[in-house]
């Protein structure tokens, strides 16, 4: 019976050694996982901070885009007005108006009244 007990004790000892090795392996593995998790959390924090910054820039750019579109519309309207003025400047009516206002000329059949 002594041999049977030795075999059982040897098996128990092998089992303890195996558990200790596994325990050390698991502890190392836990530390590694903890380190990897910490790095991932840190990366997520950095990415989140950058995302907030980018969202703020996006809002600023959208507001700027709206303002520029308003300016474009105003310039288009101004361009139409300039085209209309260009057409008007080429007419006889404009020439006559300038001659009266700046040069003081009148048509032959007009009478000028001056206030005293």
């Amino acid at each position: 019976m002594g041999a049977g007990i030795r075999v059982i004790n040897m098996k128990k000892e092998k089992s303890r050694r195996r558990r200790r090795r596994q325990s050390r392996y698991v502890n190392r593995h836990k530390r590694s996982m903890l380190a990897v998790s910490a790095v991932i959390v840190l990366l997520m924090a950095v990415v989140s901070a950058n995302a907030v910054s980018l969202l703020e820039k996006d809002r600023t750019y959208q507001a700027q885009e709206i303002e520029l579109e308003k300016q474009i519309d105003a310039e288009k309207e101004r361009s139409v007005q300039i085209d209309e003025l260009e057409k008007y400047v080429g007419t006889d009516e404009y020439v006559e108006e300038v001659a009266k206002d700046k040069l003081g000329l009148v048509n032959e059949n007009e009478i000028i009244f001056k206030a005293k």
Side-chain angles (χ1 to χ4, degrees):
M1 288 263 219
I5 293 176
R6 278 190 212 161
V7 171
I8 292 174
N9 284 339
M10 287 176 68
K11 286 183 180 179
K12 285 182 181 179
E13 185 63 31
K14 281 184 180 180
S15 176
R16 281 188 213 132
R17 284 187 216 150
R18 190 177 323 136
R19 274 185 266 151
R20 273 189 248 148
R21 275 185 274 151
Q22 286 177 346
S23 175
R24 280 186 245 145
Y25 177 76
V26 167
N27 285 339
R28 280 190 225 139
H29 184 65
K30 284 181 182 177
R31 282 185 246 142
S32 299
M33 289 300 292
L34 184 62
V36 168
S37 297
V39 168
I40 289 173
V41 168
L42 181 64
L43 285 173
M44 287 176 55
V46 169
V47 168
S48 296
N50 285 339
V52 169
S53 171
L54 288 175
L55 286 174
E56 184 60 34
K57 282 184 181 179
D58 184 47
R59 283 189 213 114
T60 303
Y61 290 146
Q62 286 177 351
Q64 190 177 18
E65 182 181 4
I66 290 170
E67 182 63 31
L68 289 173
E69 286 175 357
K70 287 179 183 178
Q71 288 179 4
I72 287 171
D73 291 342
E75 289 300 320
K76 285 181 181 177
E77 190 175 308
R78 184 171 171 255
S79 175
V80 168
Q81 290 174 349
I82 289 172
D83 289 342
E84 290 174 1
L85 181 63
E86 185 179 7
K87 289 177 186 175
Y88 176 67
V89 167
T91 62
D92 290 339
E93 183 181 336
Y94 174 78
V95 172
E96 186 177 321
E97 182 181 323
V98 170
K100 285 181 180 179
D101 289 343
K102 299 205 177 188
L103 301 175
L105 301 176
V106 293
N107 288 329
E108 292 177 11
N109 58 354
E110 286 184 334
I111 300 172
I112 299 177
F113 295 101
K114 292 186 179 181
K116 290 185 178 181

